[in-house]
Amino acid sequence: MPPVDYSSTLATLRAQQAAQPLSILALAEPITSSQQQQPQPQAASRPSDTLSASEADSSSLALTPATLAADLTHYKDLFSKLRFSYLEQVTKEKYLRSIVGDPPLLVSHGDNLALEQTLATMKHDLKAKKEEVDALVAAMEERARDVAQRYDAVQEGMDVLDRVPLEIEELRREVERLGAEIAARRGERHDGPPSDPRMRMSLAETEEALAAQRARNAEVDRMIADLQDRMPARVRDVESMDRELAELERRRNEAARLAVEGRRRREEQGGRDEMEELGRWYRASEGVMKGLMGVEGTVG
């Protein structure tokens, strides 16, 4: 992949922006120039219906979104007042002409109905035109917002494009410096091959080694899961063995205690053991009883 020339890309973008600047002043320049080339005739009007010269100058000098919105609101109010004044003037003229005309203009009920139908049709057409204009204005506003967002994104991208190449170059120098330090510590040359043979493997060999390592990891995970499954049974076996061992330990201690006790009694009685003599007597008695029972059985 060929390296990207960030400087030429940035220069191209700046040249395009310089050739076609996007700003409110540049967009409003055709309107302001046309207003300057076509001066409005001076006419007597009420102060509330027209802008003063100072307001016009200030609005032409400071064209911002806020001032444009204020001008739009002002002109809407102005045209609403002009419409009311126009309707009032036309109504007065028609009324006076109908009175002073020769012959006087008489309007019948049928004329009023026809005029109302015509007005209804004209109002319907006017409403459709207004809706079309409103939709067009909404589409233009949406497009303007989209263009403004894209313009801001391009500006941010240009800032990043102006800043990132220097940072990338600085990071490259830092990486080279760190690589040189690591090579110096290992006693190797900076451009020499790495000591680990795995670092010289190709992409296919690396993927194969990675797959083998993942298979070994999966096998180890399976063995761990198997041991975890068998661990409760082993724990129960260990607990049972612990109980048996405790019982054997108790018996061993008891036998040791009895042996010590017997040795102590034998030493106290001069080498005689009552328990041993009692056992011999019981054994002799048992032999006598067995002999008697055997004799009686033979006689019978």
Side-chain angles (χ1 to χ4, degrees):
M1 182 178 180
V4 181
D5 191 358
Y6 299 102
S7 301
S8 62
T9 304
L10 184 61
T12 303
L13 290 175
R14 287 179 175 173
Q16 290 179 356
Q17 286 192 352
Q20 297 178 353
L22 181 62
S23 64
I24 296 177
L25 293 175
L27 294 175
E29 185 176 356
I31 301 175
T32 55
S33 61
S34 63
Q35 290 178 353
Q36 292 176 0
Q37 292 176 2
Q38 297 177 1
Q40 297 292 334
Q42 298 293 331
S45 60
R46 291 177 295 179
S48 60
D49 294 340
T50 58
L51 281 172
S52 63
S54 61
E55 290 177 348
D57 295 337
S58 62
S59 62
S60 62
L61 292 176
L63 290 176
T64 61
T67 57
L68 290 177
D71 290 342
L72 181 61
T73 304
H74 173 75
Y75 282 119
K76 283 183 178 180
D77 296 338
L78 179 61
F79 282 112
S80 177
K81 293 177 182 179
L82 289 175
R83 177 175 175 272
F84 178 77
S85 300
Y86 172 76
L87 292 177
E88 182 182 7
Q89 187 67 25
V90 170
T91 303
K92 288 180 180 180
E93 290 180 359
K94 287 184 177 181
Y95 183 72
L96 291 176
R97 287 177 183 176
S98 64
I99 293 176
V100 301
D102 188 17
L105 180 61
L106 300 177
V107 180
S108 63
H109 180 65
D111 295 335
N112 289 332
L113 292 178
L115 184 59
E116 287 180 358
Q117 292 179 358
T118 304
L119 288 176
T121 304
M122 294 176 65
K123 286 182 179 179
H124 183 270
D125 295 339
L126 181 60
K127 184 178 180 181
K129 293 291 184 181
K130 285 184 177 180
E131 292 177 354
E132 183 179 355
V133 170
D134 292 339
L136 182 60
V137 170
M140 292 176 64
E141 290 179 353
E142 185 67 23
R143 178 62 62 86
R145 293 191 186 94
D146 187 19
V147 171
Q149 292 177 358
R150 292 185 179 182
Y151 183 78
D152 293 338
V154 171
Q155 287 295 116
E156 293 178 359
M158 290 178 62
D159 295 338
V160 173
L161 193 61
D162 192 12
R163 184 181 67 256
V164 167
L166 299 177
E167 296 179 356
I168 292 175
E169 188 64 26
E170 183 66 23
L171 290 175
R172 285 178 180 173
R173 289 195 295 267
E174 184 69 18
V175 169
E176 291 177 357
R177 185 182 63 80
L178 293 175
E181 290 181 0
I182 293 173
R185 290 180 181 179
R186 291 180 178 178
E188 300 174 353
R189 294 183 304 170
H190 179 61
D191 55 349
S195 59
D196 192 353
R198 293 178 299 178
M199 301 300 293
R200 295 192 296 270
M201 291 193 304
S202 62
L203 179 59
E205 294 175 349
T206 303
E207 291 179 350
E208 184 178 356
L210 181 60
Q213 184 63 36
R214 287 178 177 173
R216 289 193 294 270
N217 293 339
E219 181 65 21
V220 172
D221 293 339
R222 187 189 62 78
M223 294 174 62
I224 291 173
D226 189 13
L227 292 175
Q228 288 179 350
D229 293 337
R230 290 187 293 176
M231 187 171 63
R234 294 297 179 88
V235 170
R236 289 193 295 270
D237 294 341
V238 171
E239 291 177 353
S240 178
M241 290 180 181
D242 288 339
R243 290 192 296 270
E244 293 178 0
L245 182 61
E247 181 65 21
L248 293 175
E249 186 71 18
R250 187 186 63 79
R251 291 181 182 180
R252 184 181 67 82
N253 294 333
E254 183 68 20
R257 187 184 63 80
L258 292 176
V260 172
E261 184 68 21
R263 182 180 297 177
R264 185 182 60 79
R265 285 198 304 267
R266 183 178 296 177
E267 291 176 355
E268 290 178 355
Q269 295 177 5
R272 297 176 56 191
D273 189 357
E274 294 180 358
M275 296 297 294
E276 185 177 355
E277 291 179 357
L278 184 60
R280 290 177 181 177
W281 183 82
Y282 279 130
R283 187 176 297 171
S285 299
E286 183 182 4
V288 171
M289 293 297 293
K290 287 182 178 180
L292 292 175
M293 291 177 66
V295 172
E296 291 177 357
T298 304
V299 175

